[in-house]
Structure formats: structure tokens, C-alpha cells
Amino acid sequence: MSSIRKISILVGITGLVLAMASGTVFAVTASISFDECTIPTQKPCLGYTDGNPTVTLQGNITGSGGIGSPTVTTSPEGATVSGSLLGYLPIPTGTRSAVLFEGVGSSVISDIVTLTALAQVCNTNCTQDFTVTFNSDAEGTPLSCPSCPGVAEDGNAQNMSGSALLNSGNSDKSALLINVRSDPAEAVPEPTTLLLLGSGLAGLGLWRWRHSHSRRWHS
């Protein structure tokens, strides 16, 4: 092996060790995805189910304090993930929520995602406990989250991280990406459709009245 190659390998290993000691993260970005689509690969999401949403975890997400596996619970209209980020730069502590709206320009909330992050603890490894809760709208039960930032749902998996939403990333490398794909908006009749339906019912009522009145006249 040539001297130049030996020196290159030594420099590379030294740089890696120094970077790890300084806290730089080389691990794959951790992510949590909530998916309410009937078919996970369907884009855009054309159908939905009231069954439990699919929850997918990736990256160094462990149990609380870096021990064991994260806790994942689901319900027909929501899910919760509790665990710890292992080996990442810390994300801002505290509790914050972000929402998905029922389409562009809508103020109706389809889903609420809430992130609670505790302070990072560094012993042998650096761990940061967190909880992420996903709540979706149940039929007839509107959601409320005053002043919560959000984006309009589009049927695809949407990133709820970032400084404008859940603020779960940091400047050099995202520590926790939170993706959500919601069920589509409930079908609501358009005003024109309602007007045509009302006109039809009124016409049917008038026809029945005239028919009944004509029979009484001839009898």
C-alpha cells in the first residue's frame, strides 16, 4: 500500500472520529409517518378508511431513555408514538402542534399533529425523549387548534417538520421528520347541486298537488 493511500485512510478515520466527538450526526434521519390511506401506495389518496392509521418508524428511534422499543398505540382516528431519539442533535424542547386543513383556503382542520420533546440527556449516548400524537377528524366531530400553523392537505404524505410547523429539525441535519397523509375531505354537496335538488322536490310537490286537486275537481 502506498504511503499516500495510508495517509488518506488515516486522515479519513481521524476526521470521522473527531466529527463524532464533536456531535455531528451521520445516522439516517429519524422519521415517523402516519398514513390514513386505504392503499399505502395510492397517490393521491382517493379513498380512506376509518381503520387504524398505519404508523411507520425509521432511523434511530428507541424506547424511552434509549432502552427497548418505542411505544406505538393506534385508534380508528389517531395514533401516538412515544420513545427517544438516539444519537441526534437535540430538537427544541416543549409542546407544539401543527394541522392539516381540508384543502387550499379552508379553515376546517382535518388532522392535528402534536410533538412534545423533553431535554436531551447525554451519558454514554445522547438521548431525547419525545411523544408525537396524531388526531384525525371523526365524522361530525370538528377539530380545533387555535393559532396552530398548518398546510392544506393534498392526498400525499406531507412533511409537518420544519421551523414553520413542528420545528423538529435542526440547522445542519433534520433530527425528526414527521410525515402525514390524511384521508380526503368529506364530500359536501355544492350549492348548485342543492339548488337543483330543491327545485326537483318543489316541482314534484307541485305536480302531486295539481294531480290531487284535478282528481277532486273531476269527481
Side-chain angles (χ1 to χ4, degrees):
M1 183 180 294
S2 67
S3 298
I4 295 178
R5 188 175 180 187
K6 289 180 180 179
I7 293 173
S8 298
I9 293 176
L10 180 60
V11 171
I13 293 175
T14 303
L16 178 61
V17 171
L18 291 175
M20 292 178 67
S22 67
T24 301
V25 179
F26 287 89
V28 176
T29 299
S31 68
I32 301 173
S33 297
F34 301 103
D35 194 340
E36 284 200 290
C37 278
T38 305
I39 304 174
T41 57
Q42 188 176 8
K43 293 183 179 181
C45 180
L46 301 177
Y48 70 95
T49 175
D50 282 334
N52 296 0
T54 300
V55 181
T56 303
L57 307 180
Q58 291 182 320
N60 289 352
I61 301 177
T62 69
S64 179
I67 301 174
S69 301
T71 301
V72 179
T73 58
T74 59
S75 65
E77 298 294 349
T80 299
V81 177
S82 294
S84 183
L85 295 174
L86 178 61
Y88 292 98
L89 294 177
I91 59 178
T93 60
T95 298
R96 47 203 175 268
S97 298
V99 303
L100 281 178
F101 294 108
E102 296 269 19
V104 177
S106 174
S107 60
V108 178
I109 296 175
S110 172
D111 306 279
I112 300 175
V113 183
T114 300
L115 167 66
T116 298
L118 303 183
Q120 188 181 66
V121 177
C122 292
N123 294 316
T124 304
N125 295 303
C126 289
T127 61
Q128 183 174 20
D129 287 350
F130 70 88
T131 300
V132 180
T133 302
F134 167 74
N135 289 310
S136 185
D137 54 339
E139 187 173 354
T141 306
L143 297 176
S144 176
C145 191
S147 303
C148 288
V151 295
E153 66 180 44
D154 62 7
N156 297 297
Q158 293 171 267
N159 182 8
M160 304 297 286
S161 310
S163 59
L165 296 172
L166 291 178
N167 196 22
S168 58
N170 34 61
S171 58
D172 70 330
K173 206 174 186 70
S174 291
L176 179 61
L177 296 180
I178 301 173
N179 299 304
V180 176
R181 181 153 57 152
S182 178
D183 54 20
E186 300 263 347
V188 179
E190 295 182 359
T192 303
T193 303
L194 294 175
L195 179 60
L196 290 174
L197 178 61
S199 299
L201 292 175
L204 180 60
L206 178 60
W207 177 85
R208 292 188 62 183
W209 178 83
R210 293 185 63 183
H211 183 70
S212 176
H213 183 73
S214 177
R215 290 184 60 183
R216 285 198 304 268
W217 177 265
H218 290 294
S219 62

